[in-house]
Amino acid sequence: MPMIDIRGVSKWYNEFQVLTDCSTHVEKGEVVVVCGPSGSGKSTLIKCVNALEPFQKGDIVVDGISVSARGTDLPKLRSRVGMVFQHFELFPHLSVLENLRLAQVKVLGRSKSEATDKGMHYLDRVGLASQRDKFPGQLSGGQQQRVAIARALCMDPIAMLFDEPTSALDPEMVGEVLEVMVGLAKEGMTMMVVTHEMGFARSVSDRVVFMDAGRIVEDCATKEFFGNIEARSERARQFLGKILAH
Amino acid sequence: MGGFDWSSIANSLPFLMNGLSYTVQLTVVAAIGGTLWGILLALARLSGIAPLAWAAAAYVNLMRSVPLLLVIFWFYFLVPVMLQSITGAAYPPKIGPDRSAYVTFILFEGAYFCEIVRAGIQSIPKGQLGAAYAIGLNYSQAMRLIILPQALRNMLPVLLTQTIVLFQDVSLVALLNVTDLVGAAVKIAQRDSRLIEMYTLVAVVYFVLSYALSLGVKALNRRIAIIR
Ligand SMILES: Nc1ncnc2c1ncn2[C@@H]1O[C@H](COP(=O)(O)OP(=O)(O)OP(=O)(O)O)[C@@H](O)[C@H]1O
Ligand SMILES: [Mg+2]
């Protein structure tokens, strides 16, 4: 059974169809990269996985639990799936350590000292233990994103979702964030990553999903995706051509 | 007339101070109560639940379109009669000018604070709510722990400015024969026939306090700008 199973998902904004019959899956321990041109629905799809966006057709099953079923405890489901956003979305009114502790205490019911220990463990892991008392606004973009990853890890997630985690960063900070993500992948974290970092996709991911105009156009093993470009769809080749030329 | 005579002021100072303390108390209670009521109204307006949003909007627009003086009279004179007809009691219940004043100001200010809080909530980037949900918070936790603290912090200078306006508006309760600062001044002015001295003094007190508060708000504004 896949950790994340996306089954025929369609979604509309009024008349406009953003997602059309999308199906894919992420196995336990697998790293799947989702790419595609701007506006193709990548963010929308990944936000459907933890029900930040509702959808009208199909279903998504995370670790055996349907996100669209009526009885599903969504806050609980979301607390088990980590999410990292393009714009970090740290809570600016809380210190770094408080950012890491908040949901551990309020959602998981951990004690403050337990939450502090866990928070410091992951803060240390992303190399920012010395920044614990700073506020997000006092950190660089790369540091903020590493804190955001640590915040998600504090919840002991069964899977991590990344929505363009490096595209809002200055180029010199992309590496430090990717490094943390590579480490996670190596440890066997289940990851679904929307990114245009083709280097990361090629060296770390197991599969690549390519989206265009709300549809999943390609869904294949990374080796096949990059190794056999002639067999790719016209749109995927155009996209790769553009992005690799950069 | 024969020039100013300030001796009547010196003698009635304790009485005036009581009036001032009533004014401050009513201002503070109405500001806090109005903020809490305003938060509930703002959440209702933003709830996406059509009847709730509509009812809150109707309430806010009504309160903001009626002069405060009318609202005060309305609560003081009409609400007891309405309660009487609802409960079927023989006499209108005695609410009294004090309680009536507190309730009126909380309900009236709530409408103004609602619009401030609503703007504050809307000023928070949408991603913050997404992040709060993504980490497992439910709606009320997300609002209480993430959105409202930021919204209120951003809006603090505006909330305080509105409170200064409230501080001045509170003087209207003197018309219900309540002994707030103005009420106290009216009573002494009439007793001692020292209208000019009394009303000058009260105006000066209002000016000094309001101006000092507004300087405080300005300083706060600069500090918040630095934090952002
Ligand atoms: N709230 C909304 N209402 C209407 N249309 C929307 C809304 N949010 C997104 N869209 C549209 O849905 C489409 C898919 O958006 P989405 O953000 O998922 O794309 P994306 O692949 O993540 O793009 P990007 O690479 O720019 O992040 C876009 O055409 C966008 O304009
Ligand atoms: Mg996107």
Side-chain angles (χ1 to χ4, degrees), chain B residues 4 6 194-206:
Chain B
F4 278 19
W6 298 103
R194 284 289 159 202
L195 289 140
I196 295 176
E197 288 87 340
M198 270 304 150
Y199 295 154
T200 308
L201 173 76
V202 169
V204 168
V205 169
Y206 260 104

Side-chain angles (χ1 to χ4, degrees), chain A residues 13 16 18 36-45 86 163-164 196:
Chain A
Y13 284 116
F16 174 65
V18 226
S38 181
S40 57
K42 309 174 300 286
S43 297
T44 307
L45 182 67
Q86 182 172 2
D163 187 7
E164 304 207 34
H196 291 166

